[in-house]
Amino acid sequence: QVELVESGGGLVQAGGSLRLSCTASGSIFRLNAMAWYRQAPGERRELVATITSDGSTNYADSVKGRFTISRDNAKNTVYLQMNSLKPEDTAVYTCNMPPGIGVGNIWGQGTQVTVSS
């Protein structure tokens, strides 16, 4: 069973940057797409960014030009670089390995990102 462990959340002032990391166990990371989601209090979970196994990316309109998703298959890790952060980016960010090769829908535990104004 694949496990995902996130790190890198925290408190940052508006305009600042954070980088989230999500490391997967096992040997199938390189074969599968990855995604970052976020959920603010009282809000629905929102898909933030996705990256395919070959590195193609997509972003929510709300983060285009500010966030970058990337992956390092040698380290079994996906990253979310977040720049020009806004208070409305405050949420719990969770990484996800969607159903794919040798895996079901796997979620990390989430990491809190708080952006102060």
Side-chain angles (χ1 to χ4, degrees):
Q1 178 73 357
V2 174
E3 292 186 353
L4 303 176
V5 178
E6 298 115 333
S7 62
L11 173 64
V12 64
Q13 288 188 332
S17 298
L18 282 174
R19 189 178 79 157
L20 306 182
S21 301
C22 172
T23 301
S25 62
S27 59
I28 60 171
F29 174 82
R30 63 181 179 83
L31 302 176
N32 288 284
M34 295 294 296
W36 284 98
Y37 286 79
R38 68 185 181 185
Q39 187 168 21
E43 301 290 331
R44 297 177 64 180
R45 186 167 59 196
E46 174 188 21
L47 177 60
V48 175
T50 62
I51 185 167
T52 64
S53 58
D54 63 359
S56 298
T57 60
N58 273 293
Y59 299 92
D61 288 344
S62 58
V63 306
K64 278 181 182 176
R66 300 188 298 122
F67 290 11
T68 302
I69 188 171
S70 62
R71 64 190 299 157
D72 184 339
N73 289 338
K75 296 182 178 179
N76 275 13
T77 300
V78 61
Y79 303 98
L80 186 67
Q81 178 66 45
M82 305 184 293
N83 298 330
S84 302
L85 282 161
K86 305 174 181 180
E88 52 263 44
D89 294 318
T90 295
V92 175
Y93 286 72
T94 306
C95 70
N96 168 253
M97 183 181 289
I101 297 174
V103 68
N105 201 18
I106 306 298
W107 295 90
Q109 81 282 3
T111 186
Q112 177 70 45
V113 171
T114 303
V115 184
S116 63
S117 57

